[in-house]
Amino acid sequence: MIDKKKQITVAIDGLGGDRGIGTVIGAMRFALALYPNLRLLVFGNNELLEGIEKQKIDSSRYVFYKNSLMVPQDASVKDVMSVYLNSSMAQAIQSVMNKEADAVVSNGGTGPLVCLARHFLKQNTPYHPALAARMPTGPNSCSLMLDLGANAETQEKDLLGFAKLGAIAYQAQFNATNPTVALLNVGTEQGKGSKVIQRARELIVEDKTINFTGFIEANSIFRGNVDVIVSDGFTGNIALKAAEGVASLFANASGIRKFFARMARPDWLLPWQFNGSILLGVNGIVIKSHASAGNEALAVAMVEAARYSQSSIIEDLNKAFN
Amino acid sequence: MIDKKKQITVAIDGLGGDRGIGTVIGAMRFALALYPNLRLLVFGNNELLEGIEKQKIDSSRYVFYKNSLMVPQDASVKDVMSVYLNSSMAQAIQSVMNKEADAVVSNGGTGPLVCLARHFLKQNTPYHPALAARMPTGPNSCSLMLDLGANAETQEKDLLGFAKLGAIAYQAQFNATNPTVALLNVGTEQGKGSKVIQRARELIVEDKTINFTGFIEANSIFRGNVDVIVSDGFTGNIALKAAEGVASLFANASGIRKFFARMARPDWLLPWQFNGSILLGVNGIVIKSHASAGNEALAVAMVEAARYSQSSIIEDLNKAFN
């Protein structure tokens, strides 16, 4: 839980998402109302500033930095590193580097975010950074799954790294010891899967710091059998989106079915409650929100940033690897 | 639609699934009741035969072949090719090779099934065989997705092959011309995904026989934007299981929620209606059922086998590649 006395400063990239400035403003209101100790640094354009002022958000709760350079969702690494080093996303990340903010939230593209976070904050482990998010598994429980798309190519050494990063993050956020770790695969039997998966299993089994329970299938992601689920970034991203696709078949039912769908959904399965994945493996807290996140969902990502800011995640990673 | 006059013979591996012989018998009753022109060749043990006789299934509708050698779900290729060449699964496949049956259905392991099908029936295209299944997208519509797990490793040439196999199968089963084909990826923008995906895209774009529409994300699998969805076998399998996992969170609600979940589910989204994937790329119709399929679901796989038997799928593949 967040210590509501200690002030937390979260930087917001105000230009990243698909839904425009209204969502950023709505999310700010939600997050500030929920957490009286939260302070925001907002990087965005004039339009956003005018919107915030019009909505009469308490000006002692935020600092606004004018920046109208938006990074396109699919900007290439080359473009990011030449054209967008002064973008709203870049400056928001830099505020973490300069210790002006405790964490940064962006709903911009994954590629640019990973690229800029590595550039400004630097890696703090020998492994590729990975995106990790909570997967709901029950009324008061969740698993942590990674990588959800920070890496397009993944080798066995990366999967070993994700297992270590995930276990440390789970411990830091949930105050747990020795979390269980499983590897996402097409079957649970030892011989299943690709060569990379087979070799990753061997590396993880050899590493005695990891409490490895074996393979897990994708239909068990939401069952809570394990604390940390490790996947390559390509498969993890697709598994999560396939799950969201089915959930939305129910959520987007129309007419009377919409009512039934709401009644049927387990209380704990509110998709927007689980927005916000953390980029593990860079020296600072970086939270990626869905580009399509609405007000509540983006606010949840801000809260996720505040939560991680009050955890020992960065110290723990630095201690483990440096 | 099935021509109810022409007799169709479907071979059943009676020992493959997780649910025991009761499911096989239940499925036989369903399938035979639905299709008066269906005849079954059943390969199984004494216990199964006794069960069938006790249930008084019309003995003119099936032929029983005694075989008590069951292939374990996770048998290795080496074991399959040495110990299990006379198993119930092997003999059921051989009945298609010998033209005694029009198609074969098994709910045994994917690895053994692909291995034995390739051994007895031989490949009929230059590409790796792939498992393809219908994905429900609306009251009277579905997409065809492949590969769902026949291959653990996939290169760009394989993805090109899946695109061709899938398009031909879609045409044959749905009597459509020039079906649209998309490649499953982590984003829709051209630069997204792994190197294999990037190179596969180039190969598919170059092939003018394929009506390629670009990348598709996993949350769109059930939206019906495209006729054929191409994926590597590892990701396809995991995407499908992730989707099933979420669907079962709703389906397995208890108490009053169970009622609401039933009411909320779109009419067309009955999971058991979509059991049965076809192994495309071998010279005979091979249908893989879920190992955990119940009576209705296994019957649906038998019907799927009958449906494909009445299509031109095998001739079309042979014509396209030989």
Side-chain angles (χ1 to χ4, degrees), chain A residues 73-74 109-111 136 149 152-153 184-187 189-190 192-197 217-223 232-235 237-253 257 259-269, chain B residues 73-74 109-111 136 149 152-153 184-187 189-190 192-197 217-223 232-235 237-253 257 259-269:
Chain A
Q73 288 275 334
D74 59 341
T110 302
E153 314 278 349
L184 189 65
N185 197 0
V186 295
E189 302 91 352
Q190 209 165 305
K192 291 267 178 161
S194 63
K195 286 187 194 108
V196 168
I197 281 279
E217 290 190 87
N219 49 353
S220 299
I221 291 173
F222 303 96
R223 287 198 192 142
D232 69 89
F234 188 83
T235 310
N237 185 286
I238 285 176
L240 187 58
K241 284 181 185 157
E244 289 169 353
V246 173
S248 77
L249 284 184
F250 283 88
N252 298 333
R257 278 193 210 292
F259 165 76
F260 288 126
R262 277 204 198 141
M263 298 300 290
R265 188 184 56 208
D267 285 332
W268 48 271
L269 195 68
Chain B
Q73 288 274 337
D74 59 341
T110 302
E153 314 278 349
L184 189 65
N185 198 359
V186 295
E189 302 89 353
Q190 208 166 306
K192 290 267 179 163
S194 63
K195 286 187 195 108
V196 168
I197 281 278
E217 290 190 87
N219 48 354
S220 299
I221 291 174
F222 304 96
R223 287 198 194 143
D232 69 89
F234 188 84
T235 309
N237 185 286
I238 285 176
L240 187 58
K241 284 181 186 159
E244 289 169 355
V246 173
S248 78
L249 284 183
F250 282 88
N252 298 331
R257 278 194 208 291
F259 165 76
F260 287 126
R262 275 202 200 144
M263 298 300 290
R265 188 184 56 208
D267 285 332
W268 48 271
L269 196 67

Side-chain angles (χ1 to χ4, degrees), chain A residues 45-122:
Chain A
N45 56 18
N46 277 328
E47 196 193 348
L48 179 58
L49 178 58
E50 283 163 22
I52 292 170
E53 286 173 346
K54 205 181 280 175
Q55 290 285 316
K56 302 211 170 67
I57 293 179
D58 176 358
S59 63
S60 72
R61 305 286 305 279
Y62 68 90
V63 181
F64 196 90
Y65 296 90
K66 274 192 199 166
N67 188 317
S68 53
L69 186 60
M70 186 191 82
V71 191
Q73 288 275 334
D74 59 341
S76 68
V77 170
K78 203 183 137 206
D79 281 358
V80 170
M81 295 304 287
S82 54
V83 185
Y84 297 108
L85 286 177
N86 292 310
S87 60
S88 62
M89 185 192 280
Q91 290 197 338
I93 293 171
Q94 278 176 288
S95 72
V96 174
M97 179 182 78
N98 300 333
K99 313 280 180 204
E100 291 153 18
D102 298 303
V104 55
V105 174
S106 175
N107 48 10
T110 302
L113 186 65
V114 173
C115 177
L116 290 170
R118 288 173 75 163
H119 177 70
F120 290 116
L121 301 176
K122 310 299 177 197

